[in-house]
Amino acid sequence: MPFPTENNYTSTNNTTTSTKQTTQQPQPQHEWVTSDSTTTTTTTTTTATTNNNNTHVALRTTGQPLLSKSDISIILNAAKAFRNNNRKTTTSTRFTMQYAGNSDLHVADLVSMQPSLQPILEKLLHNQIYPLVRSAFLLPHDDDANNDPQPPLCVYDALIVRYDGQAAANSGRDKGASLPLHRDGGLFTVNIALQGDGNGGTLFDNLITSSTKHTASHHDDDIIERAIVHPLSPGHAVAHRSTERHAGAPTKPGEAIREILVFFITLRETLPTTPITLQHQQQSNNPGTIHIMGNPTQYATLAGIERAFYLKEIAAQQSKSPAAADNTGTSQTCYQWALAQNPSDGEALFWVGYFQVQRARAAHDRMVGKEDDNQHMATVTKHVLRIWRDFDHGIQALETVANRLDPCNIRSLAFLGSAYSWRWCFAQECHPQQFGLRQDVELGKAAAVLQRAVRLEELLQGIIVQSEEQLFRATLLDQLAEILLIQGKVGQAADCVEKARS
Ligand SMILES: O=C(O)CCC(=O)C(=O)O
Ligand SMILES: [Fe+2]
């Protein structure tokens, strides 16, 4: 790998600010983009402004660019030469899906072709990227009286991603070149602009949520624009935690080609690890951990965040394999393990809730099939209670995902909507009073989450490349129409059906 690990991080105690600064370099300046207001707060020092709501979504560097114009052109020329030499063999990555108009290449491959890039990257990492990540995301530890080095930062992968809006349009993607919503591997992502005219940008889920909350009257395009973070100019960076769900916003046809250099940063754990705490998350008393918001009993370590990421990858591969049906158990277990590693992982919690609800449905179906069996009453009751518990726990998990951990995930919202109606159908057959459910409340909840999903789908329509997106949209609207009909809202149901057909 051409990427050096961070030099041993030793710090000097500065009690007045309770932060410690490296003696090597001035810290790169940055400002935060926060989700409580869509304006930015300037944080040019390393002061840890602990924030209980974890509203610090992404940062943008200010001051001097991280890369000079001449270094940018050396990198761009090398990337161009690499693409010309490898027209048919562009390496695709796990995180960056390949679409018309997009291309990406591994920086490691680029350096193999042109070793003169090595010193540029080394300088960039040592002088800019590592100090930035350390000062912005990691709190200095308190017990370093012995000047023990903290685990050094290192690069887990690095890419150059290129968005060509015109090429995308020529292949039928008329909204341009973009990347779907995703999370990255590693712990932190630093995304440096190489070229572009301020077009595209990085779109963050957590900024959409706040925009829809605070600016309900805004035009859809405005809401989306406010959720996109742009670097100040070429050479400047946008950085975020890898767990922050984000997308490559479209570079539209006619706009300048956008190219970015993305570093996925993690911590090397081979050194004796002293406690690490993340900035901008409520701190726990438990060293080496971060506090999971809203749930004081659950903690994730930084290592846990990464392990959860890999476990989810394994789970997803299991369900894609030809023996997928046989692998459901493994897949389910991997998601449970992922959640144990990182209890705030909304994606893992979604799948745990999903499997629980599906188990309840399957058991409900089997129960319906056996209605005529002359079963002992006690067995039936036990069975009913087990199904109820699965529905209930599954739905609770999905509600946490929808309301707190992953509020912009259309698929989770859509599934939660269905889960409410399946649970209602089940309860109805087994005397709803015994479970304390009321039809108007249950269907009201189902309609509300489905409406939220439809709203998000409309906002993101065409912007984020998603396979089968039209099909999904139609299913979502049909589901909503069905519930609205039962609620007696015939006009609204008809609107949904019409929308589904358009
Ligand atoms: O286009 C962007 O800014 C996002 C790129 C990205 O998410 C990635 O490369 O993982
Ligand atoms: Fe990404």
Side-chain angles (χ1 to χ4, degrees), residues 453-472:
V454 168
R455 171 88 182 109
L456 276 167
E457 213 280 336
E458 275 165 7
L459 276 175
L460 295 173
Q461 211 187 101
I463 291 186
I464 310 309
V465 202
Q466 253 161 2
S467 53
E468 300 156 1
E469 57 192 18
Q470 274 310 320
L471 194 67
F472 184 63

Side-chain angles (χ1 to χ4, degrees), residues 60-61 63 65-67 72 192-196 198 230-237:
R60 212 184 347 230
T61 56
L66 277 60
L67 270 176
I72 291 178
I192 304 172
L194 295 176
Q195 66 165 329
H230 299 276
L232 283 194
S233 61
H236 271 291

Side-chain angles (χ1 to χ4, degrees), residues 7 59 65 95 152 176 221 243 299 317 339 354 373 381 408-409 415 439 462 465 476 483:
N7 289 332
L59 68 80
F95 314 113
D221 288 350
T243 46
Y299 301 97
Q317 276 160 16
L339 191 63
Y354 170 92
D373 283 8
T381 308
C408 286
N409 196 317
F415 188 76
Q439 172 163 339
V465 202
L476 194 59
I483 289 172

